[in-house]
Amino acid sequence: MESMGLKKNPKIAIVHDWLVMLGGADRVLLQIIACYPQADLFCLVEGLPPDIRTKFPSNIKTTFIQKLPRSKKWYWYYAPFMPMAIEQLDLTEYDLVLSCSHAFAKGVIIHPNQLHIAYIHSPMRFVYDLQFDYYQNFSFEKGLKRCLASFIFHQLRIWDAHTIHGVDHLIANSNFVRRRIVKCYRRDSELIYPGIETGRFKLSVHKQSYYLAGSFMTPFKRLDLIIESFNKMPDKKLLLFGAGPQQKKLKKMAASHIIFLDIVSDNELVTLLQNARAFIFAATEDFGMLMAEAQACGTPVIAYGKGGSTEIIQDIAVSPEPTGVLFHELSAESIQQAVLLFENSTGCISPLNCRKNALRFDVANFKQQYIETVQKHWDQWLISKDAIG
């Protein structure tokens, strides 16, 4: 059943935004690569540390952004050039294009005889609903910087809205993102949650006395609020892992009972999650793999009740088998109250229930659903092309 150049066994290209660290989107990319190891991998720029680079295919094809000064570290400053860069990727020899996108990857140019399926971590947040947060956090609030940023974001918004027409099928990583997709693109999407390695994040029923928080340290993760809340609870120990542009500021504001661990290895993170009394998360995430990983370790999660947390955590206020506490006001006082509610509910949250809850997100489930979804759309594509041609 071949038609108009399409084959039963298509030649596949996988397209990602950028590869500079191993974040949640990059872990999902690894899962997609595992589904299609024969595929070729493309991205805007690659600058992974050597120990992480080995996890990815040896031949990653990049764009001209790769050759620009300090692009591996300051890639965000080249965002105005990224639409042009992603459009320069030559994918004409491929039958099936699988993009893994939270920004630019879905904007690749394809021809009518190609099928494009995009896994969307989020529409381009910094040009839509989080635009004003970016103005504030990057000091673009007034003057020439504000004018320039507003113009660039406006142009990117126009480009982004246009590129959605080149995507045949959309897959969202959460219901929260599905709603964003409808709002930004007026398109429906299918839901496939990211996968976590529940076999690696093993259950531990014995917890120590510390609370745990951490991520890449940017203003959007709201680690400042977690620190502010624990500054007012000197009897409670907080361990904070990660690094990033806000690290120095966070260290300055933290009291002595808040311990910074900087960057931890994968194995160290597993141990920290297994032994923590609870994991605390204050960001609005599209999904939030760390929360699911904590649950896989049998660890309760105290999280801001917006975004992916509401789909991962079984809230103590409503669930008969709770796995954590959701707070609904983004403030230090609200975090304090959530911690106190958690401590006063000792015994209500079972490590076994946390683990059972996390098994919904096992990486095997992701791979099975993703492969079945791609196969379904590929089969339909072949039939529709036969009907036309």
Side-chain angles (χ1 to χ4, degrees):
M1 189 187 298
E2 295 188 11
S3 176
M4 300 176 68
L6 290 174
K7 309 167 189 176
K8 286 186 177 180
N9 297 310
K11 187 170 184 181
I12 303 173
I14 298 174
V15 187
H16 194 56
D17 292 304
W18 44 73
L19 282 167
V20 295
M21 59 181 291
L22 194 59
D26 312 302
R27 293 181 188 276
V28 174
L29 173 65
L30 283 172
Q31 295 166 17
I32 294 174
I33 292 170
C35 293
Y36 304 99
Q38 78 279 17
D40 292 328
L41 177 60
F42 297 80
C43 69
L44 286 160
V45 60
E46 183 273 310
L48 293 167
D51 59 324
I52 297 176
R53 180 64 180 81
T54 58
K55 298 176 184 288
F56 291 86
S58 57
N59 182 27
I60 301 176
K61 301 174 184 180
T62 59
T63 68
F64 67 81
I65 301 290
Q66 186 80 21
K67 298 179 181 178
L68 297 178
R70 304 195 73 181
S71 62
K72 297 175 183 179
K73 184 175 182 181
W74 301 110
Y75 57 95
W76 262 116
Y77 289 95
Y78 292 112
F81 303 101
M82 288 182 179
M84 183 195 310
I86 205 73
E87 290 175 352
Q88 296 306 306
L89 290 176
D90 183 3
L91 305 180
T92 54
E93 65 180 281
Y94 298 92
D95 306 300
L96 175 60
V97 176
L98 305 174
S99 61
C100 179
S101 178
H102 59 82
F104 299 95
K106 73 179 186 310
V108 291
I109 294 177
I110 62 170
H111 59 67
N113 293 339
Q114 293 172 299
L115 176 65
H116 181 185
I117 301 173
Y119 189 89
I120 304 293
H121 296 281
S122 176
M124 205 182 290
R125 292 175 296 183
F126 59 95
V127 303
Y128 290 108
D129 53 315
L130 296 185
Q131 175 181 236
F132 296 100
D133 292 335
Y134 275 80
Y135 287 159
Q136 179 180 2
N137 290 321
F138 288 96
S139 301
F140 294 157
E141 293 182 277
K142 53 188 176 181
L144 182 59
K145 283 185 177 180
R146 174 61 178 267
C147 291
L148 183 60
S150 297
F151 176 76
I152 292 171
F153 286 3
H154 176 70
Q155 296 300 315
L156 289 176
R157 196 157 43 242
I158 293 172
W159 175 85
D160 183 64
H162 176 73
T163 63
I164 203 66
H165 300 298
V167 181
D168 296 291
H169 300 282
L170 297 166
I171 302 172
N173 76 347
S174 66
N175 280 310
F176 179 64
V177 168
R178 287 186 78 184
R179 292 191 292 271
R180 262 191 174 147
I181 289 171
V182 170
K183 189 68 175 178
C184 296
Y185 304 138
R186 294 294 186 254
R187 289 273 300 271
D188 194 13
S189 58
E190 297 171 79
L191 170 65
I192 302 179
Y193 286 119
I196 61 168
E197 298 177 38
T198 58
R200 188 164 67 88
F201 293 90
K202 295 184 183 298
L203 171 67
S204 174
V205 298
H206 303 292
K207 305 299 180 182
Q208 297 182 18
S209 61
Y210 67 84
Y211 290 89
L212 182 68
S215 65
F216 185 59
M217 293 182 174
T218 66
F220 304 102
K221 299 300 184 180
R222 300 317 313 260
L223 295 171
D224 57 324
L225 289 181
I226 297 175
I227 290 173
E228 186 181 340
S229 66
F230 273 80
N231 280 345
K232 299 174 182 178
M233 298 185 288
D235 59 322
K236 304 185 195 311
K237 183 178 179 181
L238 175 67
L239 302 186
L240 200 60
F241 66 87
Q246 217 187 12
Q247 186 180 49
K248 288 183 179 180
K249 177 183 176 181
L250 295 175
K251 285 184 175 181
K252 285 182 180 179
M253 67 179 291
S256 59
H257 65 287
I258 298 174
I259 300 172
F260 284 76
L261 304 175
D262 295 327
I263 298 175
V264 297
S265 68
D266 287 349
N267 290 337
E268 289 170 334
L269 176 59
V270 172
T271 301
L272 287 167
L273 289 170
Q274 287 173 327
N275 294 326
R277 186 172 185 180
F279 179 67
I280 303 184
F281 203 83
T284 302
E285 285 289 348
D286 304 315
F287 178 68
M289 294 179 75
L290 264 172
M291 291 184 283
E293 289 166 351
Q295 297 272 272
C297 294
T299 299
V301 176
I302 301 171
Y304 181 43
K306 184 179 179 182
S309 64
T310 63
E311 299 176 52
I312 296 173
I313 310 306
Q314 305 298 316
D315 187 18
I316 196 169
V318 296
S319 175
E321 295 184 344
T323 66
V325 177
L326 297 178
F327 55 91
H328 301 283
E329 180 183 326
L330 204 51
S331 67
E333 291 73 20
S334 187
I335 296 173
Q336 281 181 268
Q337 292 171 7
V339 171
L340 293 176
L341 173 61
F342 168 72
E343 292 191 348
N344 291 332
S345 305
T346 301
C348 294
I349 300 177
S350 160
L352 292 174
N353 283 339
C354 292
R355 172 73 179 181
K356 183 175 73 172
N357 179 49
L359 292 177
R360 297 182 291 141
F361 309 112
D362 186 77
V363 66
N365 294 338
F366 170 84
K367 290 179 179 178
Q368 180 180 349
Q369 291 177 59
Y370 188 80
I371 290 172
E372 288 176 352
T373 300
V374 170
Q375 187 66 52
K376 174 186 69 176
H377 291 306
W378 176 248
D379 291 343
Q380 292 172 351
W381 179 259
L382 287 174
I383 293 170
S384 67
K385 285 304 174 183
D386 275 343
I388 294 173

